[in-house]
Amino acid sequence: MNKKPYVPTDGAQYIAHSLKQLGVSHVFFMDAILRPTLVLMEELGIKRILTHSEKSAAYMADGYARITNRVGVCLAQSVGAANLAAGLQDAYLHRSPVVAMTGRKEPMLRHRNAYQEVPHTPIFSSTTKDSIDVAEAAELPHLLTQAFRTATDGSPRPVHLDLNGLGGEILEKGKVPNPTLPDAALGRLPEHRPLASPEMIAAAAARLAKAKRPVIVVGAGAIQVDAHDEIKRLAEALSIPIATSLGGRAIIPTTHPLHIGTVGTYSAPPGNQLVFNADLVIYIGCHAGDQPTNNYTVPAPGTPIIQIDLNGQEIGRNYPNTTSVLGCPRQAIEDLLAANKNAVGWSDWAKYAASVVADWRADLASLRKSDNPPTTVERLCREISQALPKNGILVADTGYSGIWTATVLDLPFKGQSYLRAAGSLGWAFPAALGAQCGAPDRPVVCFSGDGAFYYHLTELETQKRWNLPVVTVINNNSGFGQGTPKIASFYQGRKGGNPDEINRFGPTNFAAIAKNFGIDGVRIEDPAELATALKRAINARKPILLDVVTDIHPRAPEPWEPPTV
C-alpha cells in the first residue's frame, strides 16, 4: 500500500517542509524568529545555527550559498531586520542566492509607534532583488516559492520575506489550504540556462579572429556556472592569457602559465599592465565594475570587448564597444571555441604575458622565503599556499586580506575554491563557518586581518558549539594597515599629532582569546613555525586559530596604473 505524502497544514509546517524539499541543510539565525518552525526543522534534519548577530547570520548564509551554489537561508526577528539587511550587502554585491526571512509587527500595530518597529521594505530595497510582505499563511505556497525562484534566476541575489508577527508567529499559526511544496530544483542555481544564439557566437568569433593580443577576464559568474574546464580548454587551445576578478580567481590554477593574475584595483602589476595592452578583452561572467577595471581604466576605453553573461542588463554597461553574447557562459565558451577551431592562436602573445608574470614573481622570491621576524605577509601567503589541500577552500576578508590573497597567495590545484568579501569588513570569519557547513568534508581556511576579525570574534563560540573545523589565520599587525601611508600623508607638515589614533589598536593576543572560547589557539611570532603549524591545524580537522604577528608598515602589491594622458 502506498503511503500518502505528508501534507503540511499550518505556516510553520509549510516553511519547514518547504526548506527540506528545497535541499536546505542549514539555516542561520538570530533569536527570536520562527521558533515552532525551527523545532520542526530539527525533526527534518535541518541544522539550526544560532549566531551572535544578525550580520553574522547573513554572512554565514552567504558563505554557504557561494560554496554550494544552493540558496542560503538566514532569519531574524523584527528588531533585528535592519542588521540583517546590512549583512546582505556582501551577498548582493557578489550576486549570491540568499533568502532572508524577518518577522514584522502585525497590521494593527503598524504606524502606531509600536515597540521595535520600523518599515522593513525600504531597508531591504538596496540589498535584495525583492522584498516581499507575507501577510497570511495561505500566501506561502506562492510567495516562498517565488522568493527562491527570484534568488536563483538570472543574476542571483538575495530576496527578503517579511513575515507577519514579531517573530513570524502569526504566519506560523495560520492555515495553508493548498500546501503544494516548491519544486526542489529552485533550491539551487539553475542547471539548465538560456543558450547564446548562433548569430551571437558568430559575431564574437569574427571579432576574436581580428585580435592580435586578446585576453580573457573571468568573473564570479563563470564560477557559478562551473565553467572551469571550458575556459581552460578555450585558453589552452588558442593560447589566450586569463586574468580574473577576485570572484573568479579560482577558475584555473593560479600557477597555470596562462594565468596572469587578478586585474583592477586589487591587482599585482602584471594583470593591469597586460589587460591594458590587450587589443580585445573577453569578459566571461564578469560585470566589469570599478574594481576589476581599475576604476574603468583597464582595459583602455575604446578597447573592443566581447562580453558573455546570463544577464543582458550587464552586457555593455561599462564598455560600449561590446559584442554581446547573452546566454550560459559554459555553453557559449564551447561554441566560441568550435567557431575558432581553425585559428592558429596567440602563442607569442601568451609567452610574452607569461614572462611578465614570471619576472614579477621572481622579484617577490626573497620576501616569500624570508626567515626574519616579524613574519612577512608574503611568507604567510606562501605557507598557506603550500599547506592548503587540493580540495581546500580559502575564505578571505576585504581590504589588505583581499589584496594579499589575490596577488601573492597561489591556488595551484583545480579543486580549490576562493571566496572573498565583496567589501564588508569582518565578513570572512562568519562566511568561512557558513562555507564549512555547506562543504563539511572540505578543509576551510579563513584569512583575516585583526581589524576584520574584531567584528565577529564572538562567533568563536558558534564555531566551538558546532565543532566547525575551520582554520582561522589572523594577519595580526595591530591596526588597519591598508590606510597607514594615506593617514601619515595627512600629517605631513603638521607639528605634533597622533596618527595612530586613527588606525592603530591592540596589540591583542587572539590565540589567548580563542582558548577562552575553548578553541585551540596558537601564537606565531617566528616564521619558521608557520609551515608546521598550518599543516597540523589543517590536518587536525577541528577548530583552530593561528595568530600570526606581522608588521603594519610593509605594503601589499600596488596595481599598475595606466599612463596619464
Side-chain angles (χ1 to χ4, degrees), residues 182-495:
D183 182 351
L186 296 177
R188 60 169 297 115
L189 297 182
E191 294 184 11
H192 304 289
R193 301 170 176 88
L195 305 182
S197 70
E199 293 78 12
M200 286 181 170
I201 297 297
R207 194 160 210 182
L208 175 58
K210 296 176 182 178
K212 295 181 179 179
R213 299 180 307 279
V215 298
I216 295 168
V217 176
V218 180
I223 301 282
Q224 289 178 330
V225 300
D226 193 21
H228 304 67
D229 292 341
E230 289 77 9
I231 288 175
K232 185 171 180 283
R233 279 197 293 270
L234 174 68
E236 289 180 342
L238 300 178
S239 297
I240 303 176
I242 297 176
T244 74
S245 69
L246 270 73
R249 180 156 172 74
I251 198 70
I252 66 170
T254 61
T255 52
H256 191 287
L258 289 171
H259 197 299
I260 60 175
T262 53
V263 61
T265 54
Y266 279 20
S267 169
N272 280 3
Q273 181 183 352
L274 292 165
V275 174
F276 183 82
N277 289 330
D279 66 351
L280 173 73
V281 175
I282 306 171
Y283 281 111
I284 304 176
C286 179
H287 292 166
D290 62 339
Q291 189 181 65
T293 64
N294 198 52
N295 298 310
Y296 313 107
T297 64
V298 177
T303 300
I305 304 292
I306 296 170
Q307 191 163 2
I308 303 172
D309 205 284
L310 273 166
N311 188 346
Q313 297 178 36
E314 299 300 336
I315 297 177
R317 181 194 288 264
N318 293 321
Y319 285 89
N321 188 16
T322 296
T323 297
S324 172
V325 181
L326 175 60
C328 176
R330 190 168 61 188
Q331 165 265 338
I333 296 160
E334 290 277 32
D335 289 353
L336 184 60
L337 177 57
N340 285 274
K341 60 184 177 182
N342 296 322
V344 176
W346 291 270
S347 58
D348 289 343
W349 163 239
K351 290 177 182 176
Y352 167 75
S355 70
V356 172
V357 174
D359 289 345
W360 179 78
R361 291 172 69 93
D363 291 339
L364 284 181
S366 62
L367 291 171
R368 287 169 59 85
K369 297 178 181 179
S370 174
D371 291 324
N372 298 325
T375 301
T376 65
V377 186
E378 292 89 348
R379 173 71 182 270
L380 174 58
C381 289
R382 172 177 174 258
E383 300 297 354
I384 294 174
S385 300
Q386 294 183 349
L388 191 68
K390 291 183 178 180
N391 65 338
I393 301 167
L394 181 72
V395 184
D397 219 280
T398 192
Y400 254 18
S401 294
I403 297 174
W404 284 116
T405 56
T407 57
V408 181
L409 197 154
D410 279 324
L411 300 168
F413 299 109
K414 175 185 175 181
Q416 293 175 326
S417 299
Y418 177 81
L419 309 182
R420 51 77 59 155
S424 302
L425 195 64
W427 172 89
F429 180 52
L433 300 182
Q436 188 70 86
C437 291
D441 297 328
R442 297 180 64 186
V444 177
V445 174
C446 172
F447 187 104
S448 175
D450 52 328
F453 191 69
Y454 278 114
Y455 274 69
H456 300 292
L457 62 80
T458 51
E459 301 306 338
L460 286 167
E461 190 280 327
T462 307
Q463 182 182 18
K464 171 65 176 178
R465 184 175 4 116
W466 284 95
N467 194 34
L468 298 172
V470 172
V471 175
T472 303
V473 179
I474 308 295
N475 173 25
N476 188 351
N477 58 17
S478 298
F480 289 129
Q482 188 172 2
T484 299
K486 182 69 70 175
I487 292 170
S489 72
F490 296 145
Y491 274 85
Q492 289 182 359
R494 294 176 179 268
K495 294 182 178 179

Side-chain angles (χ1 to χ4, degrees), residues 32-64:
I33 178 71
L34 294 179
R35 283 170 167 168
T37 305
L38 289 166
V39 171
L40 292 171
M41 287 184 197
E42 182 181 25
E43 297 176 3
L44 296 173
I46 299 173
K47 292 183 171 61
R48 308 150 305 163
I49 310 297
L50 171 65
T51 67
H52 292 284
S53 76
E54 292 83 6
K55 287 180 71 176
S56 286
Y59 294 165
M60 290 183 195
D62 184 11
Y64 172 95

